[in-house]
Amino acid sequence: MNAVVYQGPHEVAVEEVDEPEIQHPNDVMVDITTTCICGSDLHMYEGRTAAEEGIVFGHENMGIVSEVGDAVSTLEEGDRVVMPFNVACGFCQNCEDGYTGFCTNVNPGFAGGAYGYVAMGPYKGGQAEKLRVPYADFNALKLPEGDEHEDSFALLADIFPTGWHGTRLADLQPGESIAIYGAGPVGLMAAYSAKIQGASEIYVVDRVPSRLEMAEDHCDAHAINFEEGDPVDQIVEAHGDQVDKGVDAVGYQAIDPETDPGDDAYDPARENPAVVLNQLIQTVRPTGQLGIPGLYVPSDPGGPDEMAQQGRLGIDFGKLFEKGHKFGTGQCNVKQYNRQLRDMIIEGRADPSWVVSHRVDLEEAPEMYERFDDREEGVVKVLLEP
């Protein structure tokens, strides 16, 4: 079958690879109908992780069940399903407590597993024609038959629940104000989630005009372009004070607005992996709460300095302490949210498909990775069809 295979920094290729097979009675096989390129894939794509050549990418996957293991009891051939990016067993302590992003059984020595991602277990990705899904009764979410809401349902694998997760980590309540740093797919979904949850004012910080326009048009957000001035000052001036809650949807490859953009606004030399966290500390009022789903890693070989390369950040912890902030971190436990978000889509209460900018054939993956990595204007969320 064809699959998107990592070749080295800034290079992927669509290659013929072995088809996956049922390995355990609780597995199912899925014929992929839609798979997505994620911003976190870019960390591997850019060589910013320990990913080795040959990894099949793809942790946002949906499709049709084509083969069912003997122990699977709730799924049948022909079922339409979407899989959380988390691979989880369903019965360890963390899974039983709802923390499926931190399953302790699927990836020995590490809390959490995922499809097609470095250090997240032996699970091949779904940017391919087929995918093996382990613990399938637990991990596969059934969808209505047909092809309705295909784009929206595909986003249930990661970015819609992850954006929602950011607001829940921040404990956003109806009527509160919130600042979201980052207008990539997750940041836009966090802003959309905040709107659905009844936030009074939503501020979204980025530098890409088309993404900020989407935040204004679909989330009723105030757009804050950090290249036009200090984002903290802009938010405080617009709001009249510091906001109630904040979300970091950027992560460790954050751009420092105080650096000179020069000819290349995305020059890695502009990176400051702690800048968004420190801006949030300044943006959120005393006793407010921060949600941090933005990806951070324990080591970054491409970090701007030795401390960053060791995954250590210069956070203004004294100011955080002084203000009595609470904060929540960690990858999304998709199963905490995906069933409810699915039902909201079915009933017309939510439609996150507006964030999708491209739906292309799997063969176009190398080009789309390059364009997405360049933060090309208008390239926001790319869906691939095998």
Side-chain angles (χ1 to χ4, degrees):
M1 69 172 184
N2 287 327
V4 177
V5 179
Y6 178 59
Q7 302 289 307
H10 298 280
E11 186 176 359
V12 295
V14 178
E15 295 184 346
E16 185 76 17
V17 301
D18 293 337
E19 290 190 4
E21 298 177 346
I22 296 285
Q23 297 181 17
H24 189 277
N26 63 21
D27 292 348
V28 300
M29 295 294 302
V30 173
D31 289 340
I32 297 295
T33 56
T34 300
T35 181
C36 316
I37 299 177
C38 180
S40 57
D41 290 327
L42 297 183
H43 302 306
M44 295 187 293
Y45 176 76
E46 295 172 354
R48 299 290 291 269
T49 71
E52 297 181 355
E53 295 178 12
I55 289 179
V56 175
F57 282 174
H59 58 268
E60 302 183 24
N61 310 303
M62 68 177 293
I64 306 298
V65 175
S66 59
E67 187 178 354
V68 178
D70 292 341
V72 175
S73 60
T74 63
L75 299 170
E76 299 177 351
E77 291 183 17
D79 282 344
R80 185 186 185 204
V81 293
V82 61
M83 280 63 65
F85 75 87
N86 319 114
V87 178
C89 71
F91 52 81
C92 71
Q93 180 176 349
N94 282 346
C95 283
E96 287 185 345
D97 289 343
Y99 301 116
T100 55
F102 302 88
C103 176
T104 55
N105 280 331
V106 295
N107 189 12
F110 192 92
Y115 303 98
Y117 211 87
V118 59
M120 298 298 282
Y123 309 102
K124 290 187 177 180
Q127 289 176 12
E129 296 178 54
K130 296 178 181 291
L131 179 72
R132 179 180 76 91
V133 179
Y135 303 101
D137 283 315
F138 187 69
N139 286 312
L141 178 68
K142 291 177 68 171
L143 302 169
E145 295 180 1
D147 58 8
E148 190 175 11
H149 305 305
E150 182 83 5
D151 288 2
S152 288
F153 286 149
L155 305 182
L156 291 174
D158 186 350
I159 68 164
F160 193 13
T162 297
W164 194 276
H165 182 58
T167 65
R168 301 324 315 142
L169 289 172
D171 193 31
L172 177 68
Q173 299 299 312
E176 290 187 325
S177 55
I178 188 168
I180 296 161
Y181 280 74
V186 169
L188 290 171
M189 288 294 95
Y192 187 53
S193 299
K195 175 185 176 181
I196 293 171
Q197 293 170 35
S200 59
E201 288 187 273
I202 303 166
Y203 296 88
V204 176
V205 180
D206 206 286
R207 65 164 304 280
V208 181
S210 61
R211 296 183 176 191
L212 290 171
E213 289 171 9
M214 294 177 81
E216 291 178 317
D217 292 344
H218 297 280
C219 309
D220 298 332
H222 301 278
I224 305 294
N225 189 326
F226 67 73
E227 299 284 24
E228 296 177 357
D230 182 88
V232 178
D233 291 344
Q234 292 186 64
I235 292 171
V236 171
E237 181 178 356
H239 182 60
D241 201 350
Q242 298 171 347
V243 297
D244 297 308
K245 302 292 171 64
V247 171
D248 172 5
V250 179
Y252 74 105
Q253 288 188 259
I255 295 296
D256 192 332
E258 294 187 2
T259 58
D260 182 1
D263 295 328
D264 182 3
Y266 293 101
D267 187 339
R270 299 189 71 202
E271 288 184 11
N272 176 349
V275 67
V276 166
L277 295 173
N278 289 331
Q279 288 167 337
L280 277 171
I281 292 168
Q282 297 176 61
T283 303
V284 174
R285 65 173 175 82
T287 74
Q289 195 153 328
L290 316 179
I292 307 168
L295 180 63
Y296 290 86
V297 293
S299 63
D300 172 18
D305 54 45
E306 184 177 355
M307 191 168 81
Q309 291 166 13
Q310 298 172 0
R312 300 164 60 209
L313 309 181
I315 300 172
D316 297 334
F317 197 85
K319 179 59 69 173
L320 178 83
F321 182 90
E322 177 187 284
K323 296 181 76 172
H325 283 159
K326 297 179 181 178
F327 64 95
T329 68
Q331 66 179 359
C332 178
N333 309 295
V334 173
K335 282 182 63 67
Q336 284 190 344
Y337 316 109
N338 65 349
R339 187 176 300 272
Q340 294 92 331
L341 297 180
R342 175 201 63 185
D343 293 346
M344 291 171 66
I345 292 169
I346 292 170
E347 294 300 321
R349 305 292 185 184
D351 180 7
S353 63
W354 55 265
V355 80
V356 175
S357 60
H358 294 75
R359 173 179 278 277
V360 301
D361 188 85
L362 186 72
E363 295 294 330
E364 297 182 50
E367 175 190 349
M368 296 313 301
Y369 262 95
E370 182 177 358
R371 294 173 64 185
F372 188 37
D373 188 50
D374 287 342
R375 281 71 168 178
E376 182 179 310
E377 191 73 43
V379 179
V380 181
K381 187 63 178 178
V382 178
L383 276 52
L384 303 173
E385 290 184 13

